Amino acid sequence: MTAKLHITGNADADELLSTDPLALLVGMLLDQQIAMETAFEGPKKIADRIRGPFDAENLASYDPDALVEVFRQTPAVHRYPGSMAARVQALCAELVANWGGDASALWTEGDPDGKTLLRRLESLPGYGAQKARIFVALLGKQYGVTPEGWRAAAGAYGEEGSYRSVADIVDADSLTRVRETKREAKAAAKARAAG
């Protein structure tokens, strides 16, 4: 991986995301109901706190109660430590069972096209359609993973020059623009629901 991500504002956390596909996959999993930067800092917090290596095998077999405690330590990995620790563990168990414990196998094994990559991501615990599309866009826009049809698979998140998701964050300015886009989308959805 030669990507140099700038998502969290924390150089060590961004370095882990840039060099470790599992960290990126876990960060995306954690990206719900908390700030994006906090979600993507999560893998570094986990890596620093667990016994043993930050890899799918170790996390899948980690004592569930001990992993919840890792998530609860201050600063917390996530506002829902129990459920999110369980999701990370389920994700890692899936990677071990079906991908040899290698997160990057999702986009390298068998040279998948965009549609296949999207389908693989959607099959992961904790990854629904929207999260999978955002991750395809993140891989394509920032990680250099651009299989045929990746933009179509990513949907609107794959559009060039959009500021819809973490896939578009490359610096403080783009983070602000993504936040504004999300705020506008929420306001529009609220107005539609009220009207």
Side-chain angles (χ1 to χ4, degrees), residues 97-121:
N98 296 303
W99 300 99
D102 178 10
S104 69
L106 290 161
W107 53 89
T108 59
E109 191 173 291
D111 196 25
D113 62 12
K115 192 183 284 189
T116 301
L117 174 56
L118 180 65
R119 196 169 45 249
R120 288 176 177 184
L121 290 165

Side-chain angles (χ1 to χ4, degrees), residues 67-86:
L67 191 58
V68 171
E69 287 310 309
V70 164
F71 272 61
R72 279 194 176 127
Q73 286 177 33
T74 305
V77 172
H78 199 279
R79 69 190 292 189
Y80 299 112
S83 62
M84 295 312 285

